[in-house]
């Protein structure tokens, strides 16, 4: 996983002291999932949004648990 | 969600016009030829509204009507939405999809089509008009080879529920999904509620049929139970009207959902008040919607004496 990016079907925003992630990979709202996430996940998504980043940059900028959660949930993917 | 409203809806439904080339007996919005509302949003107003949706971070816009494609500027509005990266799903009757239109639709992303089919030929055309079934099947055949996510959408009624297995096969044969919508007492459906609504036995059969076909989409809180009244899908349990989603009508008035377009539930106008202001106001209306178990639109629209969704009770009380 040299560089990582946010897939287009993953959308997010800040909501109060946390965040929301909306994922509709398969179709649209019928298959969508909406998840409440920690604000650090939003920080990470903002960090990679629009420009893929080397994985090591993420590891340096964010806690390991945050990076692993974002990868595991598919919020960011390797190119 | 009712006590801690979201800063913006997750998804919205936007009825862009009440004009339609068809005049369906069960139309939730009472649309038809020449039924455009006075003061429907101009192109400029519609684009300003789209910009505000983008600023508010609305994730998805589901477009309905009326028939959206009868609006002369509709493709321009789709380009505005998808150009901003807003996921867009268009509900269409499938009769306006010529090749030039499909060329432009195919060039946009993320964009999905939902084509209405309310039965096989006899039942569909009895509700939607003669020749509509053939037109929809023709559109399906032409969509099959295009890179456009397509779903057939069926409003399930007493008359077409037996057609569902064959409609499911028809969708699969053309590489499309199938989505079921509940028939509700809204628009012309209010007048025809007793004619079209499912019987208790049909409701139970439908929920059982669905449990064996997980790929059939519903997106509707009515289907969170199985035929035994047990929860089969927790994510569908909550009615999101006014808490996660809302409806914007052709003149820009905001309601909790497409099926609750009653005067007392309007919460502002996207042009006069701005969408953010209208959305914030919805929180105060949510309490009224929450007073009803199941689908508030069915509970209120069907005048059930107990103030509950009578079709939900049909499963729970049996």
């Amino acid at each position: 996983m040299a560089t990582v990016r946010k897939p287009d079907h993953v959308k997010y925003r800040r909501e109060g002291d946390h965040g929301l992630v909306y994922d509709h990979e398969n179709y649209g709202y019928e298959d969508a999932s909406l998840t409440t996430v920690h604000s650090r996940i939003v920080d990470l998504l903002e960090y990679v949004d629009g420009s893929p980043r080397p994985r090591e940059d993420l590891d340096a900028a964010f806690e390991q648990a945050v990076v692993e959660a974002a990868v595991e949930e598919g919020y960011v993917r390797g190119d | 969600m009712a006590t801690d409203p979201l800063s913006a809806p997750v998804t919205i439904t936007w009825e862009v016009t009440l004009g339609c080339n068809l005049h369906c007996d069960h139309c939730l919005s009472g649309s038809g030829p020449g039924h455009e509302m006075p003061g429907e949003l101009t192109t400029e107003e519609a684009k300003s509204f789209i910009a505000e949706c983008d600023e508010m971070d609305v994730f998805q816009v589901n477009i309905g009507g009326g028939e959206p494609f009868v609006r002369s500027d509709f493709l321009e509005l789709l380009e505005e939405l998808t150009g901003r990266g807003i996921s867009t799903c268009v509900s269409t009757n499938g009769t306006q999809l010529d090749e030039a239109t499909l060329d432009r639709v195919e060039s946009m992303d993320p964009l999905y089509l939902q084509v209405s089919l309310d039965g096989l030929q006899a039942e569909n055309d009895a509700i939607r008009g003669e020749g509509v079934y053939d037109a929809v099947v023709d559109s399906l055949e032409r969509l099959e080879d295009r890179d456009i996510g397509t779903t057939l959408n069926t409003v399930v009624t007493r008359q077409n529920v037996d057609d569902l297995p064959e409609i499911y096969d028809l969708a699969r044969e053309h590489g499309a999904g199938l989505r079921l919508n509940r028939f509700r007492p809204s628009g012309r459906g209010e007048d025809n509620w007793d004619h079209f609504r499912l019987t208790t036995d049909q409701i139970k059969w439908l929920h059982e049929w669905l449990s064996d076909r997980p790929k059939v989409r519903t997106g509707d809180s009515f289907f969170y139970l199985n035929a035994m009244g047990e929860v089969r899908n927790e994510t569908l349990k909550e009615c999101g009207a006014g808490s996660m989603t809302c409806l914007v009508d052709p003149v820009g008035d905001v309601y909790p959902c497409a099926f609750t377009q009653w005067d007392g539930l309007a919460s502002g106008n996207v042009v006069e008040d701005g969408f953010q202001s209208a959305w914030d106001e919805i929180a105060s209306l949510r309490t009224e919607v929450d007073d009803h178990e199941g689908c508030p639109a069915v509970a209120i629209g069907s005048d059930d004496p107990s103030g509950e969704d009578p079709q939900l009770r049909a499963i729970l009380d049996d």
Side-chain angles (χ1 to χ4, degrees), chain B:
Chain B
M1 293 290 185
T3 55
D4 187 18
L6 296 179
S7 62
V10 174
T11 67
I12 67 167
T13 299
W14 179 16
E15 292 180 346
V16 294
T17 181
L18 289 196
C20 185
N21 57 312
L22 304 181
H23 190 277
C24 304
D25 293 343
H26 61 344
C27 181
L28 75 93
S29 57
S31 304
H35 285 215
E36 288 85 355
M37 296 173 76
E40 291 190 352
L41 298 187
T42 64
T43 304
E44 187 180 349
E45 289 169 337
K47 285 186 174 181
S48 294
F49 167 56
I50 291 168
E52 193 172 9
C53 287
D54 190 17
E55 288 167 17
M56 291 168 66
D57 272 338
V58 174
F59 295 135
Q60 181 153 345
V61 174
N62 304 313
I63 296 183
E67 168 52 44
F69 284 100
V70 304
R71 255 191 89 122
S72 59
D73 62 355
F74 185 56
L75 289 167
E76 191 179 340
L77 299 183
L78 287 183
E79 284 162 349
E80 186 74 17
L81 281 160
T82 56
R84 291 174 178 273
I86 298 173
S87 294
T88 305
C89 183
V90 183
S91 181
T92 172
N93 63 33
T95 66
Q96 305 293 302
L97 303 175
D98 59 36
E99 291 301 297
T101 298
L102 290 181
D103 284 345
R104 285 182 69 180
V105 167
E106 192 171 20
S107 72
M108 297 183 228
D109 183 60
L111 182 65
Y112 309 90
L113 289 184
Q114 184 170 278
V115 182
S116 296
L117 188 75
D118 291 332
L120 296 175
Q121 189 154 32
E123 298 302 341
N124 180 78
D125 288 3
I127 294 173
R128 307 185 70 83
E130 191 175 344
V132 174
Y133 178 87
D134 286 339
V136 169
V137 172
D138 175 63
S139 291
L140 274 183
E141 288 170 352
R142 290 182 293 109
L143 280 162
E144 194 173 336
D145 296 326
R146 289 182 178 267
D147 184 21
I148 303 172
T150 303
T151 299
L152 274 184
N153 184 69
T154 298
V155 176
V156 185
T157 65
R158 186 175 303 188
Q159 290 74 18
N160 69 19
V161 66
D162 293 337
D163 290 345
L164 288 181
E166 288 179 79
I167 295 173
Y168 180 58
D169 290 342
L170 179 70
R172 286 163 54 105
E173 286 165 13
H174 292 87
L178 174 63
R179 177 184 192 246
L180 303 187
N181 237 324
R182 187 180 183 188
F183 169 62
R184 288 179 167 82
S186 304
R188 279 194 285 278
E190 193 170 356
D191 300 329
N192 295 319
W193 170 243
D194 288 330
H195 178 65
F196 286 126
R197 67 184 169 87
L198 298 178
T199 65
T200 299
D201 285 345
Q202 287 175 327
I203 292 170
K204 290 178 179 298
W205 178 87
L206 174 60
H207 282 67
E208 195 166 331
W209 186 79
L210 273 172
S211 68
D212 294 334
R213 290 161 187 80
K215 288 187 176 178
V216 176
R217 302 174 178 118
T218 59
D220 189 318
S221 59
F222 183 51
F223 298 108
Y224 84 92
L225 296 172
N226 66 16
M228 305 299 289
E230 300 159 338
V231 174
R232 92 181 160 86
N233 189 336
E234 288 281 358
T235 62
L236 294 178
K237 191 172 181 180
E238 183 183 0
C239 166
S243 61
M244 288 189 283
T245 188
C246 66
L247 177 283
V248 179
D249 81 0
V251 299
D253 287 341
V254 180
Y255 296 86
C257 79
F259 307 100
T260 52
Q261 295 184 59
W262 301 312
D263 288 342
L265 293 182
S267 69
N269 181 279
V270 301
V271 176
E272 295 167 11
D273 309 298
F275 187 34
Q276 183 70 66
S277 172
W279 170 257
D280 292 343
E281 190 182 325
I282 267 186
S284 63
L285 298 170
R286 175 71 187 162
T287 302
E288 187 173 343
V289 174
D290 268 343
D291 284 344
H292 300 273
E293 185 178 355
C295 173
V298 174
I300 298 170
S302 62
D303 292 326
D304 184 76
S306 59
E308 294 178 342
D309 178 339
Q311 292 189 317
L312 186 71
R313 299 311 313 176
I315 297 175
L316 294 175
D317 291 344
D318 192 58

